[in-house]
Amino acid sequence: MAQSDKTTPKYAIAIHGGAGAMSRLKKNPHLKEQYLRALDTALHIGSEVLKDGGTALDAVEKVVRYLEDNRLFNAGKGSVANALGEYELDASIMDGKTLLAGAVAGVSRIRHPISAARAVMEKTPHVLIAGTGAEALAEKWGLEMVDPAFFHGNVPSPSSPSLDDQLPLDKWGTVGCVALDQYGNLAAGTSTGGLSKKHPGRIGDSPIIGAGTYADNATCAVSCTGVGEYFIRLAIAHDLSARMKYKNLPLSQAATEALQRLSAHQGKGGFIAIDTSGNIVTPFNTPAMFRAYQTPDGQRHIAIFPD
Ligand code: ASP
Protein backbone atom coordinates (compact mmCIF):
# COMPACT_ATOMS: atom_id res chain seq x y z
CA MET A 1 0.00 0.00 0.00
CA ALA A 2 1.15 3.54 -0.75
CA GLN A 3 1.47 5.31 2.63
CA SER A 4 1.03 9.02 3.04
CA ASP A 5 2.25 11.52 5.59
CA LYS A 6 -0.90 11.94 7.66
CA THR A 7 -0.07 15.49 8.75
CA THR A 8 -0.04 17.00 5.28
CA PRO A 9 -2.85 15.60 3.18
CA LYS A 10 -2.92 17.48 -0.13
CA TYR A 11 -4.43 15.56 -2.97
CA ALA A 12 -4.07 12.09 -4.41
CA ILE A 13 -5.56 10.04 -7.20
CA ALA A 14 -5.75 6.48 -8.53
CA ILE A 15 -6.90 5.16 -11.89
CA HIS A 16 -7.65 1.73 -13.33
CA GLY A 17 -8.12 0.62 -16.89
CA GLY A 18 -9.51 -2.86 -16.29
CA ALA A 19 -8.26 -6.23 -15.04
CA GLY A 20 -7.68 -9.51 -16.88
CA ALA A 21 -5.12 -11.95 -18.25
CA MET A 22 -3.39 -9.59 -20.69
CA SER A 23 -0.87 -12.26 -21.75
CA ARG A 24 -0.96 -10.79 -25.25
CA LEU A 25 0.62 -7.61 -23.95
CA LYS A 26 3.77 -9.51 -22.94
CA LYS A 27 4.31 -10.34 -26.62
CA ASN A 28 3.47 -6.87 -27.84
CA PRO A 29 5.73 -4.29 -26.19
CA HIS A 30 4.43 -1.58 -28.53
CA LEU A 31 0.84 -2.08 -27.37
CA LYS A 32 1.97 -2.31 -23.75
CA GLU A 33 3.76 0.99 -24.19
CA GLN A 34 0.55 2.55 -25.53
CA TYR A 35 -1.34 1.47 -22.41
CA LEU A 36 1.37 2.79 -20.09
CA ARG A 37 1.38 6.09 -21.94
CA ALA A 38 -2.41 6.38 -21.74
CA LEU A 39 -2.35 5.68 -18.00
CA ASP A 40 0.39 8.27 -17.57
CA THR A 41 -1.67 10.86 -19.47
CA ALA A 42 -4.78 10.05 -17.43
CA LEU A 43 -2.83 10.43 -14.20
CA HIS A 44 -1.46 13.74 -15.38
CA ILE A 45 -4.94 15.03 -16.33
CA GLY A 46 -6.36 14.13 -12.93
CA SER A 47 -3.49 15.42 -10.82
CA GLU A 48 -3.49 18.75 -12.68
CA VAL A 49 -7.18 19.24 -11.83
CA LEU A 50 -6.47 18.51 -8.17
CA LYS A 51 -3.29 20.59 -8.07
CA ASP A 52 -5.24 23.58 -9.41
CA GLY A 53 -7.79 23.26 -6.61
CA GLY A 54 -10.40 21.31 -8.56
CA THR A 55 -12.70 18.96 -6.71
CA ALA A 56 -12.32 15.20 -6.55
CA LEU A 57 -15.53 14.92 -8.61
CA ASP A 58 -14.06 17.17 -11.31
CA ALA A 59 -10.86 15.11 -11.42
CA VAL A 60 -12.73 11.81 -11.62
CA GLU A 61 -15.02 13.03 -14.39
CA LYS A 62 -12.17 14.51 -16.44
CA VAL A 63 -9.98 11.42 -16.17
CA VAL A 64 -12.82 9.06 -17.05
CA ARG A 65 -13.83 11.24 -20.02
CA TYR A 66 -10.26 10.97 -21.34
CA LEU A 67 -10.30 7.18 -20.93
CA GLU A 68 -13.75 6.99 -22.56
CA ASP A 69 -12.25 8.69 -25.61
CA ASN A 70 -9.23 6.37 -25.73
CA ARG A 71 -9.96 3.28 -27.82
CA LEU A 72 -7.48 1.18 -25.86
CA PHE A 73 -10.06 0.89 -23.10
CA ASN A 74 -13.46 -0.77 -22.89
CA ALA A 75 -15.44 2.37 -22.12
CA GLY A 76 -16.97 5.13 -24.22
CA LYS A 77 -15.53 5.10 -27.74
CA GLY A 78 -13.60 1.85 -27.16
CA SER A 79 -16.53 -0.12 -25.74
CA VAL A 80 -16.97 -3.77 -26.66
CA ALA A 81 -20.16 -4.98 -28.35
CA ASN A 82 -22.89 -7.17 -26.91
CA ALA A 83 -24.03 -10.47 -28.44
CA LEU A 84 -25.98 -8.63 -31.14
CA GLY A 85 -23.04 -6.40 -32.07
CA GLU A 86 -24.66 -3.42 -30.34
CA TYR A 87 -23.14 -1.12 -27.75
CA GLU A 88 -24.68 -0.63 -24.31
CA LEU A 89 -22.57 1.50 -21.99
CA ASP A 90 -22.74 1.87 -18.20
CA ALA A 91 -21.23 4.45 -15.85
CA SER A 92 -21.55 5.80 -12.32
CA ILE A 93 -20.08 8.48 -10.09
CA MET A 94 -20.30 9.16 -6.35
CA ASP A 95 -19.46 12.11 -4.11
CA GLY A 96 -17.94 11.03 -0.78
CA LYS A 97 -18.85 14.31 0.92
CA THR A 98 -22.61 14.22 0.33
CA LEU A 99 -23.09 10.51 -0.51
CA LEU A 100 -24.93 11.69 -3.61
CA ALA A 101 -24.51 9.41 -6.61
CA GLY A 102 -25.57 9.16 -10.24
CA ALA A 103 -25.46 6.46 -12.89
CA VAL A 104 -26.58 5.53 -16.39
CA ALA A 105 -26.96 2.02 -17.76
CA GLY A 106 -27.40 0.50 -21.20
CA VAL A 107 -26.91 3.74 -23.13
CA SER A 108 -25.96 3.72 -26.82
CA ARG A 109 -25.93 7.37 -27.86
CA ILE A 110 -24.08 9.25 -25.10
CA ARG A 111 -20.45 9.94 -25.92
CA HIS A 112 -19.39 10.38 -22.29
CA PRO A 113 -21.53 8.23 -20.00
CA ILE A 114 -19.59 9.45 -16.94
CA SER A 115 -20.81 13.02 -17.56
CA ALA A 116 -24.37 11.75 -17.93
CA ALA A 117 -23.95 9.92 -14.61
CA ARG A 118 -22.80 13.13 -12.97
CA ALA A 119 -25.75 15.03 -14.46
CA VAL A 120 -28.16 12.39 -13.10
CA MET A 121 -26.59 12.99 -9.68
CA GLU A 122 -26.70 16.78 -9.89
CA LYS A 123 -29.89 17.43 -11.85
CA THR A 124 -32.34 14.73 -10.75
CA PRO A 125 -33.52 13.19 -7.47
CA HIS A 126 -32.61 9.77 -8.91
CA VAL A 127 -29.48 7.62 -8.79
CA LEU A 128 -29.70 5.30 -11.82
CA ILE A 129 -31.43 5.95 -15.14
CA ALA A 130 -31.27 3.41 -17.97
CA GLY A 131 -31.52 3.28 -21.75
CA THR A 132 -33.55 5.71 -23.81
CA GLY A 133 -34.74 7.58 -20.70
CA ALA A 134 -31.14 8.44 -19.84
CA GLU A 135 -30.41 9.36 -23.46
CA ALA A 136 -33.40 11.71 -23.63
CA LEU A 137 -32.21 13.49 -20.49
CA ALA A 138 -28.62 13.70 -21.72
CA GLU A 139 -29.84 15.27 -24.95
CA LYS A 140 -32.01 17.74 -23.04
CA TRP A 141 -29.05 18.68 -20.85
CA GLY A 142 -26.91 19.38 -23.92
CA LEU A 143 -24.44 16.52 -23.42
CA GLU A 144 -22.68 15.30 -26.54
CA MET A 145 -24.83 12.73 -28.34
CA VAL A 146 -23.52 10.38 -31.04
CA ASP A 147 -24.93 7.93 -33.53
CA PRO A 148 -24.58 4.35 -32.18
CA ALA A 149 -22.22 3.75 -35.14
CA PHE A 150 -19.73 6.02 -33.34
CA PHE A 151 -18.82 3.08 -31.11
CA HIS A 152 -18.11 0.74 -34.04
CA GLY A 153 -14.41 1.51 -34.21
CA ASN A 154 -12.23 3.37 -36.65
CA VAL A 155 -11.36 2.45 -40.21
CA PRO A 156 -8.05 0.54 -40.05
CA SER A 157 -5.09 2.24 -41.60
CA PRO A 158 -3.78 0.28 -44.63
CA SER A 159 -0.17 1.03 -43.73
CA SER A 160 -0.06 -0.12 -40.13
CA PRO A 161 -1.83 -2.88 -38.20
CA SER A 162 -5.03 -1.44 -36.79
CA LEU A 163 -5.60 -1.20 -33.10
CA ASP A 164 -8.42 -3.70 -33.53
CA ASP A 165 -5.96 -6.24 -34.95
CA GLN A 166 -3.82 -5.89 -31.86
CA LEU A 167 -6.51 -5.90 -29.21
CA PRO A 168 -7.96 -9.22 -28.06
CA LEU A 169 -11.63 -9.91 -28.75
CA ASP A 170 -12.38 -10.20 -25.06
CA LYS A 171 -10.94 -6.78 -24.49
CA TRP A 172 -10.20 -5.69 -20.97
CA GLY A 173 -10.43 -2.08 -20.02
CA THR A 174 -13.36 -0.89 -17.94
CA VAL A 175 -12.07 2.36 -16.53
CA GLY A 176 -12.29 3.98 -13.12
CA CYS A 177 -10.88 6.76 -11.02
CA VAL A 178 -10.87 7.65 -7.32
CA ALA A 179 -9.58 10.93 -5.95
CA LEU A 180 -8.91 12.92 -2.79
CA ASP A 181 -9.02 16.70 -3.29
CA GLN A 182 -7.36 19.51 -1.34
CA TYR A 183 -10.56 20.03 0.65
CA GLY A 184 -10.42 16.49 2.06
CA ASN A 185 -13.26 15.15 -0.09
CA LEU A 186 -13.35 11.82 -1.91
CA ALA A 187 -15.05 10.82 -5.17
CA ALA A 188 -15.21 7.68 -7.32
CA GLY A 189 -16.32 6.98 -10.89
CA THR A 190 -16.46 3.96 -13.19
CA SER A 191 -17.34 3.61 -16.89
CA THR A 192 -17.58 0.55 -19.14
CA GLY A 193 -18.88 -1.10 -22.28
CA GLY A 194 -19.53 -4.12 -20.05
CA LEU A 195 -18.56 -7.70 -20.77
CA SER A 196 -17.79 -8.56 -24.39
CA LYS A 197 -20.73 -10.35 -26.13
CA LYS A 198 -22.93 -9.80 -23.07
CA HIS A 199 -26.62 -10.58 -23.34
CA PRO A 200 -28.49 -7.56 -24.68
CA GLY A 201 -29.83 -5.62 -21.71
CA ARG A 202 -27.34 -7.13 -19.27
CA ILE A 203 -26.15 -4.56 -16.73
CA GLY A 204 -22.94 -5.13 -14.80
CA ASP A 205 -21.61 -3.70 -11.55
CA SER A 206 -20.13 -0.51 -12.97
CA PRO A 207 -23.34 1.59 -12.73
CA ILE A 208 -24.44 -0.04 -9.47
CA ILE A 209 -23.60 2.09 -6.44
CA GLY A 210 -22.13 -0.18 -3.75
CA ALA A 211 -21.13 -2.84 -6.30
CA GLY A 212 -18.75 -1.20 -8.81
CA THR A 213 -18.49 2.27 -7.31
CA TYR A 214 -18.71 3.79 -3.84
CA ALA A 215 -17.42 6.89 -2.02
CA ASP A 216 -17.80 8.03 1.57
CA ASN A 217 -15.56 10.60 3.23
CA ALA A 218 -15.90 8.54 6.44
CA THR A 219 -14.16 5.58 4.81
CA CYS A 220 -12.89 5.51 1.22
CA ALA A 221 -13.66 5.93 -2.47
CA VAL A 222 -13.55 2.78 -4.60
CA SER A 223 -13.93 1.78 -8.25
CA CYS A 224 -14.03 -1.89 -9.28
CA THR A 225 -13.33 -3.91 -12.42
CA GLY A 226 -13.90 -7.55 -13.21
CA VAL A 227 -16.79 -9.92 -13.79
CA GLY A 228 -19.61 -7.66 -12.64
CA GLU A 229 -22.02 -10.34 -11.46
CA TYR A 230 -19.70 -11.20 -8.55
CA PHE A 231 -19.20 -7.57 -7.63
CA ILE A 232 -22.97 -7.06 -7.55
CA ARG A 233 -23.71 -10.16 -5.49
CA LEU A 234 -20.94 -9.40 -3.01
CA ALA A 235 -21.51 -5.61 -3.08
CA ILE A 236 -17.73 -5.32 -3.15
CA ALA A 237 -17.39 -1.53 -3.25
CA HIS A 238 -19.65 -1.07 -0.23
CA ASP A 239 -18.20 -4.15 1.44
CA LEU A 240 -14.79 -2.46 1.45
CA SER A 241 -16.23 0.74 2.90
CA ALA A 242 -18.28 -1.16 5.48
CA ARG A 243 -15.22 -3.09 6.70
CA MET A 244 -13.52 0.23 7.43
CA LYS A 245 -16.59 1.70 9.09
CA TYR A 246 -17.90 -1.18 11.16
CA LYS A 247 -14.65 -3.03 11.90
CA ASN A 248 -12.60 0.14 12.15
CA LEU A 249 -10.00 -1.33 9.80
CA PRO A 250 -7.41 0.71 7.92
CA LEU A 251 -7.89 0.79 4.14
CA SER A 252 -5.10 -1.73 3.47
CA GLN A 253 -6.59 -4.43 5.71
CA ALA A 254 -10.16 -3.80 4.60
CA ALA A 255 -9.01 -4.12 0.98
CA THR A 256 -7.21 -7.39 1.66
CA GLU A 257 -10.34 -8.81 3.27
CA ALA A 258 -12.65 -7.58 0.49
CA LEU A 259 -10.43 -9.12 -2.20
CA GLN A 260 -10.22 -12.37 -0.22
CA ARG A 261 -14.01 -12.47 -0.10
CA LEU A 262 -14.18 -11.91 -3.87
CA SER A 263 -11.67 -14.71 -4.45
CA ALA A 264 -13.45 -17.06 -2.03
CA HIS A 265 -16.57 -16.74 -4.21
CA GLN A 266 -14.56 -17.32 -7.43
CA GLY A 267 -15.02 -13.66 -8.44
CA LYS A 268 -12.31 -12.31 -10.75
CA GLY A 269 -11.14 -8.72 -10.86
CA GLY A 270 -9.79 -5.96 -8.68
CA PHE A 271 -10.35 -2.44 -7.49
CA ILE A 272 -8.68 0.85 -6.68
CA ALA A 273 -9.44 2.72 -3.47
CA ILE A 274 -8.29 5.80 -1.59
CA ASP A 275 -8.97 7.21 1.89
CA THR A 276 -8.98 10.77 3.21
CA SER A 277 -5.32 10.50 4.26
CA GLY A 278 -4.41 9.73 0.67
CA ASN A 279 -3.60 6.06 1.31
CA ILE A 280 -4.14 4.11 -1.90
CA VAL A 281 -4.67 0.40 -2.63
CA THR A 282 -4.92 -1.35 -6.01
CA PRO A 283 -5.47 -5.09 -5.29
CA PHE A 284 -6.53 -7.63 -7.92
CA ASN A 285 -6.72 -11.42 -8.28
CA THR A 286 -6.35 -11.55 -12.08
CA PRO A 287 -2.89 -11.87 -13.67
CA ALA A 288 -2.89 -8.12 -14.37
CA MET A 289 -4.71 -4.83 -13.89
CA PHE A 290 -4.00 -1.52 -15.62
CA ARG A 291 -3.42 0.93 -12.78
CA ALA A 292 -1.79 4.22 -11.92
CA TYR A 293 -1.71 6.43 -8.90
CA GLN A 294 -0.15 9.52 -7.40
CA THR A 295 0.26 9.84 -3.63
CA PRO A 296 -0.07 13.11 -1.62
CA ASP A 297 3.73 13.46 -1.62
CA GLY A 298 3.78 13.35 -5.41
CA GLN A 299 5.05 9.82 -5.93
CA ARG A 300 3.70 8.30 -9.13
CA HIS A 301 3.25 4.63 -9.91
CA ILE A 302 2.06 3.09 -13.17
CA ALA A 303 1.80 -0.68 -13.66
CA ILE A 304 0.03 -3.49 -15.49
CA PHE A 305 1.39 -6.74 -14.07
CA PRO A 306 2.03 -7.54 -10.36
CA ASP A 307 4.93 -5.46 -9.01
N1 ASP B 1 -17.21 -4.90 -14.41
C1 ASP B 1 -17.57 -4.76 -15.79
C2 ASP B 1 -18.89 -5.45 -16.03
O1 ASP B 1 -19.10 -6.52 -15.51
C3 ASP B 1 -16.55 -5.30 -16.73
C4 ASP B 1 -15.10 -5.04 -16.40
O2 ASP B 1 -14.77 -4.48 -15.37
O3 ASP B 1 -14.24 -5.40 -17.23
O4 ASP B 1 -19.67 -4.93 -16.80
Side-chain angles (χ1 to χ4, degrees):
M1 181 173 82
Q3 282 290 345
S4 74
D5 171 359
K6 290 204 178 223
T7 57
T8 57
K10 292 182 223 157
Y11 59 85
I13 185 164
I15 291 159
H16 74 74
M22 300 176 197
S23 48
R24 216 168 147 170
L25 275 192
K26 291 198 166 142
K27 294 179 222 124
N28 190 337
H30 175 65
L31 185 59
K32 183 177 165 194
E33 190 50 42
Q34 288 187 62
Y35 276 102
L36 291 172
R37 236 182 293 130
L39 290 167
D40 182 61
T41 302
L43 196 57
H44 182 73
I45 288 170
S47 52
E48 283 297 300
V49 171
L50 297 166
K51 186 174 90 187
D52 292 346
T55 65
L57 275 175
D58 288 340
V60 165
E61 183 185 3
K62 196 160 181 187
V63 165
V64 173
R65 280 176 68 97
Y66 164 75
L67 294 168
E68 286 175 340
D69 275 342
N70 189 320
R71 293 193 53 240
L72 289 170
F73 299 97
N74 172 20
K77 173 72 177 158
S79 290
V80 296
N82 68 15
L84 296 178
E86 294 163 345
Y87 295 81
E88 296 177 319
L89 283 52
D90 305 328
S92 66
I93 195 163
M94 184 160 182
D95 179 359
K97 181 181 173 192
T98 58
L99 301 190
L100 289 172
V104 293
V107 295
S108 306
R109 295 198 307 119
I110 301 174
R111 176 166 178 172
H112 292 115
I114 193 70
S115 295
R118 185 168 181 182
V120 168
M121 175 176 80
E122 292 177 343
K123 296 180 195 290
T124 81
H126 309 302
V127 170
L128 172 59
I129 302 185
T132 51
E135 289 165 0
L137 279 176
E139 198 155 14
K140 187 177 109 186
W141 293 326
L143 298 185
E144 189 173 352
M145 305 303 291
V146 291
D147 188 276
F150 171 82
F151 299 108
H152 282 261
N154 299 329
V155 179
S157 147
S159 55
S160 62
S162 78
L163 194 54
D164 291 322
D165 291 338
Q166 298 178 62
L167 294 170
L169 284 177
D170 291 325
K171 189 174 146 190
W172 353 267
T174 288
V175 305
C177 179
V178 295
L180 164 69
D181 64 28
Q182 294 190 33
Y183 319 104
N185 294 318
L186 300 175
T190 311
S191 183
T192 189
L195 293 182
S196 180
K197 301 193 183 70
K198 64 189 177 184
H199 195 284
R202 176 264 185 191
I203 305 292
D205 60 314
S206 307
I208 308 293
I209 297 302
T213 302
Y214 201 71
D216 182 350
N217 278 2
T219 55
C220 64
V222 52
S223 170
C224 302
T225 178
V227 181
E229 282 68 12
Y230 294 90
F231 287 80
I232 295 173
R233 286 163 45 213
L234 301 171
I236 288 294
H238 186 263
D239 182 80
L240 172 63
S241 168
R243 283 173 197 279
M244 293 178 74
K245 195 167 207 158
Y246 305 141
K247 291 178 85 178
N248 213 15
L249 295 181
L251 177 65
S252 57
Q253 204 181 331
T256 301
E257 289 190 9
L259 191 77
Q260 275 169 356
R261 182 158 172 259
L262 180 72
S263 302
H265 289 266
Q266 280 75 52
K268 290 267 175 259
F271 54 82
I272 52 169
I274 189 169
D275 68 16
T276 49
S277 298
N279 297 306
I280 291 169
V281 291
T282 61
F284 52 96
N285 64 12
T286 45
M289 181 169 83
F290 296 116
R291 59 203 189 278
Y293 63 79
Q294 181 171 323
T295 61
D297 55 12
Q299 282 183 49
R300 298 171 101 250
H301 181 85
I302 302 174
I304 300 174
F305 297 100
D307 292 326

